[in-house]
Amino acid sequence: MGETRAKVPSIMSDTSNRATPSEPTSELGFARLLAFALPALPVAAFQLPFVILVPKFYAETIGLSFIAVGAIIFAVRIIDAFLDPFVGYFADHSNPGWGRRRSWFALAAIPTTIGALFVFYPFPNVPSDNSLFWAGWFFVWSMLLSVGYTALSLTHLSWGAEISTSYYGRNRIFAAREVLAVIGTLVATGLPFVLSVLGFHGETPVLITLAVLVVVALPAFTALTVFTVPEPKHVARKHLNFLEGLKGLLRNEHFVRLLGAYALANMGNGVPATLLLYYVRDYVHGNEETQRFLLLLYFLFGVISTPLWLWVAKKTSKHRAWSYAMLVACTGFVWSPFAGHEWLGDYAVYAFGAIMILAGMSVGADLMLPVSMQADVIDVDTARTGEQHTGFYFASWALANKIALSIALGIGFVLLGIVGYDKGDRDADPLTPAEVHVVAQPPAEGVGVTLPKVDRAKATTPKRKGHHQPNPDKPVRQTPTAKWTLIFLYGIVPILLKLAAVRLVWNFPIGAAEQAKLRAEIEARLAEEKANGTAAA
């Protein structure tokens, strides 16, 4: 049988991509769709806080240096990333009795749960001057969390890509998954408000609560998924070895193109996500509650906008909808250098809130549409080889993405450390009252949301001996070089990266019509092989 029976047509006009093939009738019902998506909630509850809160927590509360935190994050992500293809390959080629996707998903939940518990809850009462111990603690448990999360997410994505084989059905699967993920992030970002009302302030109780949430919810939702969601049909004519599979992946030019765009876009998300709390505190002059409120606003609009991007994708295509979403985010980031307190005074927080809404509106598209497109480019490989390399593809996708995020997260912190950015210790010289412009109330002339003040005298966050307790409400005076480095990293770098991603996917050659042709060929081959097997028997 020839190696290649179908090729995606050369780049076609966007009008052809709007053709809507008939959808299969075997899509998941609502109950099973919800059961499939639920594990994404507790995973998201630690995933983005791990990017945003944990580095800041280990740098400030635990007392590790910026450079140490950035180096550990970089090392963990790089090591984990190079394990991804092997995890994906063996997940594709294993054949446990319970099913490939079910078995790996259930197994991966174990190290993910344990790693999240210890990263978010550093309970040993060891002084901060024992930097070797805390660097080792952060590295070991971050490594376990990252590897567990890798196996869990790869299996979940592969499972979703194989449950539905239609262009728009995959949007539905991944939209459900990512909506639950964003809801999980909303839970995580809303926790500080709830805990503040209960009298618990600072990041320590937030991270401990997140650890408890993951330990309880992730095993429960994982069990619900593996016992209720069906194992997808496995399409395989022969088993290629690891190197043959890798060569086939690199020959899939559509995958390489999409991968490059996704890596660039995620770098564009990772840099500002890592620096957000410092940007709000030191440039916008927002207090801790303002920071949490802005994060809540960001992810809330991520959920609200998801139906919009599903509609835009149906009217145009996945790649155009994703491009439009990235351009919307760019229109927000372009104004962020002008949303500083030195420009707008106490109104800066409102201007930055509008920026966060625009950036947040792209979140649903960023999470849903690229992975749905990824499932489509995997069909190209399946049509060419007759084997289903879903896990291997998503693993390679994750590898490139983690390298991109490692660069974004590590370099962001390292560059700030090099230029002498002051992270704000409790022993730092305080600003004068005239220099402290913390936005705790709306301007007298304006109408807006009044954010509650934190009574630090009543704060109940436990203080570990020798650890720093920075004041998250107080902007820290920075040198001009440090300030403009922060502005460049937060406001300019994401725009450049996202525009490069748009350039790659604007005329992506796989739309609804092309994907339907690929699936028709795959199904025809399966029917032919089944008929030949029956005749031979």
Side-chain angles (χ1 to χ4, degrees):
M1 189 173 292
E3 180 182 348
T4 305
R5 287 198 169 195
K7 295 182 179 179
V8 175
S10 59
I11 294 178
M12 304 178 69
S13 69
D14 197 63
T15 302
S16 68
N17 286 341
R18 299 181 190 180
T20 305
S22 60
E23 300 285 346
T25 59
S26 59
E27 303 291 346
L28 292 181
F30 177 78
R32 284 186 170 178
L33 183 64
L34 181 61
F36 172 80
L38 273 173
L41 193 157
V43 168
F46 74 74
Q47 186 182 3
L48 287 177
F50 182 62
V51 172
I52 297 173
L53 297 179
V54 167
K56 186 172 182 285
F57 175 78
Y58 276 85
E60 294 186 354
T61 303
I62 297 297
L64 293 176
S65 69
F66 265 140
I67 293 177
V69 171
I72 290 170
I73 291 173
F74 183 81
V76 167
R77 294 301 179 96
I78 290 294
I79 295 171
D80 176 42
F82 281 102
L83 293 176
D84 284 354
F86 297 98
V87 172
Y89 180 84
F90 287 113
D92 281 340
H93 292 84
S94 60
N95 190 28
W98 206 19
R100 296 177 305 150
R101 304 310 178 202
R102 280 177 172 168
S103 299
W104 276 84
F105 194 69
L107 183 64
I110 298 172
T112 305
T113 303
I114 296 172
L117 174 63
F118 290 122
V119 168
F120 283 77
Y121 182 34
F123 56 83
N125 190 21
V126 177
S128 62
D129 56 8
N130 193 339
S131 57
L132 184 61
F133 173 86
W134 286 114
W137 177 280
F138 187 33
F139 175 80
V140 169
W141 298 118
S142 293
M143 193 76 249
L144 185 68
L145 173 61
S146 295
V147 172
Y149 167 72
T150 291
L152 191 74
S153 62
L154 290 180
T155 306
H156 208 199
L157 291 169
S158 301
W159 202 345
E162 293 171 357
I163 286 175
S164 176
T165 58
S166 69
Y167 187 79
Y168 295 114
R170 285 168 173 166
N171 274 359
R172 180 172 173 266
I173 293 286
F174 290 114
R177 181 182 183 271
E178 303 311 333
V179 164
L180 266 294
V182 177
I183 290 174
T185 305
L186 282 171
V187 171
T189 53
L191 268 178
F193 290 105
V194 176
L195 293 175
S196 177
V197 171
L198 296 175
F200 297 94
H201 305 289
E203 291 168 349
T204 301
V206 173
L207 295 179
I208 292 174
T209 304
L210 287 173
V212 173
L213 171 65
V214 173
V215 168
V216 173
L218 183 56
F221 291 161
T222 298
L224 179 66
T225 302
V226 298
F227 284 111
T228 60
V229 179
E231 179 76 14
K233 179 175 64 175
H234 182 36
V235 178
R237 183 184 69 204
K238 62 178 181 178
H239 290 302
L240 302 179
N241 62 40
F242 184 87
L243 291 178
E244 289 173 336
L246 183 60
K247 290 177 182 177
L249 182 147
L250 295 176
R251 285 197 299 267
N252 189 339
E253 64 276 11
H254 310 293
F255 167 77
V256 174
R257 179 174 172 178
L258 179 61
L259 182 66
Y262 188 63
L264 288 168
N266 264 9
M267 285 182 67
N269 292 332
V271 172
T274 306
L275 305 177
L276 174 65
L277 300 185
Y278 291 107
Y279 201 84
V280 173
R281 185 192 70 183
D282 297 339
Y283 192 63
V284 179
H285 288 195
N287 64 9
E288 185 180 24
E289 277 67 35
T290 304
Q291 296 165 7
R292 306 302 181 213
F293 176 77
L294 290 171
L295 281 175
L296 194 66
L297 197 67
Y298 177 81
F299 293 113
L300 176 63
F301 275 85
V303 173
I304 293 173
S305 65
T306 298
L308 168 66
W309 299 121
L310 282 171
W311 178 80
V312 174
K314 193 111 180 181
K315 291 294 183 180
T316 58
S317 61
K318 297 177 188 179
H319 53 276
R320 283 291 169 87
W322 185 30
S323 296
Y324 294 144
M326 288 189 283
L327 291 174
V328 168
C330 288
T331 61
F333 281 117
V334 75
W335 293 106
S336 57
F338 306 102
H341 192 272
E342 63 187 65
W343 291 81
L344 301 175
D346 287 350
Y347 289 97
V349 68
Y350 299 104
F352 196 75
I355 291 169
M356 292 294 284
I357 289 173
L358 288 173
M361 285 185 65
S362 70
V363 170
D366 279 337
L367 294 175
M368 167 187 63
L369 295 174
V371 291
S372 186
M373 292 171 66
Q374 168 79 332
D376 299 335
V377 301
I378 293 171
D379 286 339
V380 176
D381 182 76
T382 304
R384 287 175 176 175
T385 67
E387 187 180 0
Q388 206 162 33
H389 299 109
T390 310
F392 190 54
Y393 264 80
F394 274 114
S396 301
W397 171 275
L399 185 151
N401 180 46
K402 286 177 181 177
I403 292 175
L405 281 178
S406 296
I407 295 171
L409 301 180
I411 294 227
F413 268 81
V414 169
L415 282 178
L416 289 182
I418 290 174
V419 299
Y421 197 90
D422 185 356
K423 60 188 177 184
D425 296 340
R426 64 178 176 181
D427 299 323
D429 292 335
L431 301 178
T432 65
E435 293 171 320
V436 178
H437 300 286
V438 178
V439 182
Q441 308 249 350
E445 302 83 1
V447 178
V449 179
T450 301
L451 302 175
K453 291 184 178 180
V454 176
D455 185 355
R456 293 295 157 190
K458 298 180 180 179
T460 57
T461 302
K463 296 184 179 181
R464 188 176 286 111
K465 181 180 179 181
H467 284 193
H468 299 294
Q469 299 294 332
N471 186 348
D473 281 357
K474 181 180 294 185
V476 178
R477 182 190 306 160
Q478 306 295 340
T479 65
T481 300
K483 182 184 73 171
W484 285 107
T485 300
L486 178 68
I487 292 170
F488 177 76
L489 287 171
Y490 189 90
I492 306 302
V493 170
I495 295 174
L496 299 176
L497 293 169
K498 285 183 176 291
L499 289 178
V502 170
R503 177 68 179 84
L504 285 174
V505 297
W506 183 258
N507 288 318
F508 198 71
I510 302 179
E514 292 76 22
Q515 193 271 341
K517 292 176 184 177
L518 289 169
R519 290 310 310 181
E521 177 167 351
I522 292 168
E523 297 300 328
R525 176 186 293 167
L526 288 174
E528 179 185 346
E529 291 177 352
K530 183 177 180 180
N532 291 339
T534 302

